[in-house]
Each structure stands twice: as C-alpha cells, then as structure tokens.
Amino acid sequence: MSAAGPSRGDSRLAAVCALAAELAAGRLDTRGALSGTGDEIDKLTLDLNSIAEALSAKARMLESYEARLSEYLDGLGAIAALDFSKKLPSSGAGDTLDALAMGLNMLTEELHASMVSKSYVEDIIESLADPLLVLELDGSIRDVNGATSELFRYKKSELAGQSVTLLLAEESLRQILELPSSLGAVKNKYQETMGRTKDGQPIPLAVAVSLLRNASGHPQAIICVAHDITERKRAEEARQEALLQQETIRAQTELLRRLSTPLIPVSDRIVVMPLIGAVNPQRMQQAIDMLLAGIAARRVEVAIIDITGVSEADAQVANGLIDAARAVRLLGAQAVFTGIHPEVARLFVQMNIHLDDLITYGTLQAGIEHAMRRGGTRR
Amino acid sequence: MGERVRTRTATHFLGEDGIVRTILEEGAEETLADAKATIEAILQVSNGTKRPILVDIRGVKSQDRGARMYYSGPEAAASILGIAILIGSPMSRLLGNFFFGFNKPRIAIKLFTSEAEAIKWLKELAL
C-alpha cells in the first residue's frame, strides 16, 4: 500500500475481505470477481467462492431436510389422529430421511392392520349373545362385554376390578383359579354354576373357562364365556316331572290291570279268574294273557272263568271268552265258565256258538266242585 | 451358474455353490405381486430343492405390507431353507430390521453387511 492511497492490489484484497465478511454473515449468494491474472488474490477469491458454493449447497440441503422433516412431522400428526391414509413421499435419494419415511410408512401399515384387526375382534366380542368376562389371574374382573352387563344388570364400570364372585358362586372362582396353575395340562374347563344378578336373582349358568397366554406361553388372563341355562334347566325339570308322572301312571295302570283281572289259585291245579264290571276288548285281552301265563307257570288243569260280575257284554266279549277257552285247551287245561247270566247266554245263542264245546256252570261254587271232581285237588 | 430369471423388481439365479441369489433392482418398490413372483422365480431356479437364499436388498426403495407378510408366510417357508439378507443403504437396513421385528419369518434368517459373511452362514445352514 502506498501513501498516495490504496493500490489496485489493496482494493482487490479489500474485496476479498468483504466477500469473507458476507459469507461469515450468512449471505451465501455472494461471489468474488476474479482479475484473471491467476495471482494469489485470485486463488483466494476462488477458494472463497468454492466455500460459498459448498455452504450454499449445505444450506439448500438443510432447507430441504427441514421441509421433509416438517412433512414427516405432519405425517406423524396424521398417524396420531388415526388417519392412516397419508403416505410419506421418498425423495428418491435413498438417504437416511428416505429410510425414515419408509419406516414410518411401514409402521403406519402395521398399526393400521393391527387396529383394524383389534376393532374387528372387539366388534365380535361385543356382538356375542353370551356374556364374556376377562379376568385377572387373581379372579378380579378386567373387562366384560355388553351381554354381561345385560344379563347381570351391572354397568361395565361397576364390574371393573371387582371379584368375579360378585357374579358367580364362590365355588366357581376356586375352579377358575385352578386353571393357570395347571401349567397348560388343562386347556379349558366347563362348569355349571349359579350366577347372581345385581338385584340378587339367581341364574343357572354354563361357564367355559380358558386361559389367555402371551407369545411365550405365560398366562395373561382368564377368559370366561357364560351361557344362561335357565330355559334348559326348566326343560330338564319338566322332562323329569313328565317322566315321573308317566312312571306313576304306568304303575297305577299295572296295579289296576292286576286288580281287574286277578288269577286266584284254588289248588295247585285249579285257578279262578273272576271278571267284574265292564269288559272291553283290551281288558279281555289282558285277562286272556294273564290266564294263559298263569296256566303255563302252574301247570294248571282247570281254569274257571267266572263272569258273574260282568255288567255289560257284547259280541266282542263273547268272542273273547270263546278265544280264551280255546287257548286254555291248547295249553292242555280245561276252561270252565261260571256265572253266565241271561244277557251273555242270549249273546251266545245269537252268535250261534255251540255250547257243547264249552263247560259251563251256573255258579262259581258248582264250577269249583266240577274241577275238584276232575281230580285237580293235588296241593 | 444356472439360468437367470428376471422379475419386475429382481434377478434370481442359482450359484455354483448351491446358493440362490436374489438381487433387487436399484430403486425396487416391492408389492405383494412382486413377492409372489420372487418366490415363484426362486422355486424355478432352485430346481425343486429347498435351498439357502442370499437376498441383496441394498437397492430397495420400499416394500409394502402384503409383500412382507407373504415373505414371512408359509409359501416362503415351504420353498426356502434360510435367507441371508444383504443390507447396506439406510433403507435396506431399516427394511431388514423391520422384517425381523414385525413379520417374524418362519425360517432361519439373518442380516449381513458383508456378502462373504452371508455366504459363509448360508453354507453352514445348508450342512
């Protein structure tokens, strides 16, 4: 520098200093002019221009990063608001931020898929007609579905944290708590127990109990699905009652049958069957069955059928008596009819039944005497 | 070296060492259809044998959930002995780790940044 003022070299140096000051102040678009001489000042200016270029590029990159990060932040905001439609773009550079965008996109897909499946499962549980209870391993209620609230008449909030014995019998809890300690040997249990509504009404329940395990197989919760079996129990009771009633009727019918067609042994070889009251075909058949069974069992020689007490008789009864006589004869015994009253006699005549084939006596006494005479007296 | 099969996103061939190579194209964006095509191509070059696979995903740009689910599903498990995934770029590193964490594949799988190490592991796997 001369005393007359700054030389040309000094002014170029001042320009370089000014350029450095501009760059230091962050004004990165500034560039220094070259003299074209290629001297040291030109070299310095070139270096500063290169630094300015590099800093500009860095600044642009930072700006771009800032913009992309801002976009990703918006993306995160959308995910937080459960809007899974937004997909973060890739710059195509394959840099760390692109990897970050890809990671966020993949996380969004997974989160969306898991939330859709969670919501799907929740909808299924909520739409179950049967109560479903999720219990902690100590038997306290973690969660229930709508059907549980409805059946037991508690609000969900009233049940959370309460012991399941609020709803089920104490004995059930003991059986439920056995499941986690079975170490996987028992997969599930089924029990019939009594439940209780909020207002104390008992409800018969069938409860299926199973364990919810995590990926490592450790029990996480107890799942109970209860089914109200009130109707089934009522139906069972009604069926039992009907069976009992049927059995009583059957026993009474059998008793009546035996009483209405008794077979009275007079001796080892003589039996008497007195028929009393109205004789319909069914009763006639019963009498024949009983008479034949008695004859076969006792090796009877004379069977006296006393119809003194028969109040009404028709052609079917008359035929039945004839059939009885024939069947008795086929078994090797003799049938004797006693007490034939005028109505029956008239029927026999009207039906043209040959009385020669039948042994008849007016009274039971006469019939017994006949049988005795025939030799049926062995005792 | 066996025949080369090209799919939309990768090239597949059987090496003389018995290891199938699947090399993803630069900028590959894999979808479920691509994953199905890849498994089909691997089956084709494997000549009906379950083989170890070296998958070079260093060029991958993205992979959708359908593709990830398919690779971790029974079809892949039935066709492949084990997979060494070659990673390098931030994206391939992230994808490889994501596949491990979220998709829990049913076959032996390991991430490598060195091809030599990957082949060594695959050979041991095939023993």
Side-chain angles (χ1 to χ4, degrees):
Chain A
M1 191 184 295
S2 70
S7 68
R8 186 166 170 268
D10 288 341
S11 64
R12 285 177 58 215
L13 206 55
V16 169
C17 289
L19 174 60
E22 285 288 301
L23 295 179
R27 288 184 283 276
L28 304 178
D29 294 336
T30 316
R31 300 288 183 270
L34 300 172
S35 69
T37 59
D39 62 3
E40 291 301 315
I41 295 175
D42 266 5
K43 282 181 187 167
L44 194 60
T45 306
L46 265 176
D47 286 346
L48 281 174
N49 284 346
S50 299
I51 290 169
E53 281 298 329
L55 286 174
S56 287
K58 281 274 182 198
R60 282 197 299 275
M61 192 177 75
L62 278 174
E63 216 170 276
S64 155
Y65 270 29
E66 186 74 25
R68 285 163 71 191
L69 280 172
S70 172
E71 195 170 6
Y72 298 170
L73 201 62
D74 287 346
L76 273 175
I79 295 168
L82 305 181
D83 172 8
F84 303 116
S85 60
K86 197 173 173 68
K87 193 167 181 190
L88 301 181
S90 164
S91 72
D95 58 11
T96 312
L97 281 185
D98 276 349
L100 183 65
M102 185 173 79
L104 281 172
N105 286 336
M106 290 194 295
L107 277 173
T108 304
E109 283 179 327
E110 294 296 339
L111 189 62
H112 189 196
S114 65
M115 285 196 71
V116 166
S117 56
K118 184 172 180 276
S119 150
Y120 180 64
V121 171
E122 280 173 354
D123 286 350
I124 291 174
I125 290 171
E126 208 48 42
S127 62
L128 278 177
D130 284 335
L132 182 139
L133 299 91
V134 182
L135 308 181
E136 302 291 354
L137 298 179
D138 64 359
S140 58
I141 298 169
R142 186 191 292 182
D143 201 3
V144 297
N145 67 349
T148 308
S149 294
E150 205 172 309
L151 181 67
F152 293 97
R153 294 167 202 169
Y154 281 99
K155 288 178 189 164
K156 282 188 181 184
S157 55
E158 291 176 307
L159 293 172
Q162 296 288 333
S163 168
V164 74
T165 52
L166 187 68
L167 307 178
L168 305 180
E170 287 276 351
E171 173 60 14
S172 305
L173 178 62
R174 195 183 58 74
Q175 289 188 29
I176 287 169
L177 294 184
E178 278 173 1
L179 200 58
S181 57
S182 66
L183 298 174
V186 182
K187 298 278 184 209
N188 49 55
K189 278 189 171 184
Y190 179 85
Q191 54 172 277
E192 288 195 4
T193 186
M194 288 306 291
R196 193 175 46 247
T197 64
K198 190 176 181 181
D199 50 8
Q201 291 296 313
I203 320 168
L205 296 170
V207 184
V209 187
S210 55
L211 271 185
L212 178 69
R213 295 177 187 275
N214 64 10
S216 347
H218 292 113
Q220 296 296 292
I222 301 167
I223 309 294
C224 299
V225 179
H227 181 64
D228 180 357
I229 53 171
T230 305
E231 287 307 315
R232 199 189 84 192
K233 285 283 180 195
R234 275 188 198 142
E236 271 176 14
E237 280 168 17
R239 196 164 55 245
Q240 287 296 330
E241 208 171 304
L243 280 174
L244 195 66
Q245 213 166 13
Q246 277 174 11
E247 179 57 26
T248 307
I249 290 168
R250 197 198 60 75
Q252 285 174 347
T253 306
E254 177 62 18
L255 182 64
L256 277 173
R257 189 177 72 80
R258 286 180 179 281
L259 287 174
S260 64
T261 53
L263 192 65
I264 303 162
V266 174
S267 71
D268 282 354
R269 298 287 185 254
I270 303 168
V271 291
V272 174
M273 175 170 276
L275 294 176
I276 298 163
V279 179
N280 57 22
Q282 188 188 357
R283 193 171 163 222
M284 191 71 235
Q285 189 56 49
Q286 279 178 6
I288 293 171
D289 289 347
M290 184 160 282
L291 181 64
L292 298 181
I295 290 169
R298 294 165 182 274
R299 290 160 57 201
V300 165
E301 289 176 1
V302 181
I304 302 168
I305 302 164
D306 180 52
I307 56 173
T308 310
V310 172
S311 57
E312 292 170 23
D314 57 12
Q316 280 185 316
V317 172
N319 275 327
L321 291 171
I322 301 304
D323 288 346
R326 285 180 186 146
V328 167
R329 201 175 299 161
L330 281 173
L331 290 180
Q334 187 182 60
V336 175
F337 288 98
T338 60
I340 294 178
H341 50 79
E343 192 182 341
V344 176
R346 204 164 32 248
L347 266 172
F348 280 1
V349 171
Q350 281 170 0
M351 292 168 69
N352 204 21
I353 290 170
H354 297 291
L355 294 178
D356 298 346
D357 294 341
L358 298 175
I359 299 166
T360 60
Y361 285 94
T363 64
L364 176 60
Q365 186 184 356
I368 290 173
E369 282 171 3
H370 161 80
M372 294 287 198
R373 279 197 304 277
R374 198 173 176 276
T377 54
R378 184 165 53 81
R379 300 188 79 86
Chain B
M1 194 186 297
E3 66 167 324
R4 278 179 175 264
V5 175
R6 285 202 67 170
T7 54
R8 193 183 74 89
T9 52
T11 303
H12 318 266
F13 61 92
L14 175 64
E16 286 171 359
D17 51 9
I19 294 170
V20 172
R21 267 76 166 175
T22 289
I23 301 164
L24 266 71
E25 304 286 342
E26 195 63 39
E29 297 185 59
E30 276 205 304
T31 62
L32 172 61
D34 296 319
K36 286 181 177 175
T38 289
I39 294 296
E40 203 172 307
I42 287 172
L43 275 173
Q44 189 181 333
V45 300
S46 295
N47 300 325
T49 307
K50 257 178 113 168
R51 295 181 186 276
I53 317 284
L54 175 69
V55 183
D56 184 347
I57 64 166
R58 288 177 293 189
V60 74
K61 188 175 170 192
S62 70
Q63 189 180 60
D64 73 11
R65 187 168 190 271
R68 292 195 299 278
M69 296 296 284
Y70 190 76
Y71 283 137
S72 59
E75 290 86 354
S79 329
I80 295 168
L81 193 63
I83 305 176
I85 300 179
L86 201 54
I87 55 171
S89 66
M91 297 178 82
S92 62
R93 207 166 62 236
L94 184 100
L95 182 62
N97 285 305
F98 201 92
F99 189 58
F100 261 107
F102 271 85
N103 299 100
K104 298 184 177 29
R106 302 164 189 217
I107 46 178
I109 191 163
K110 203 168 174 183
L111 302 180
F112 293 91
T113 52
S114 152
E115 185 169 344
E117 287 292 319
I119 287 171
K120 188 178 162 209
W121 179 76
L122 287 172
K123 282 182 176 171
E124 285 169 5
L125 193 69
L127 286 178

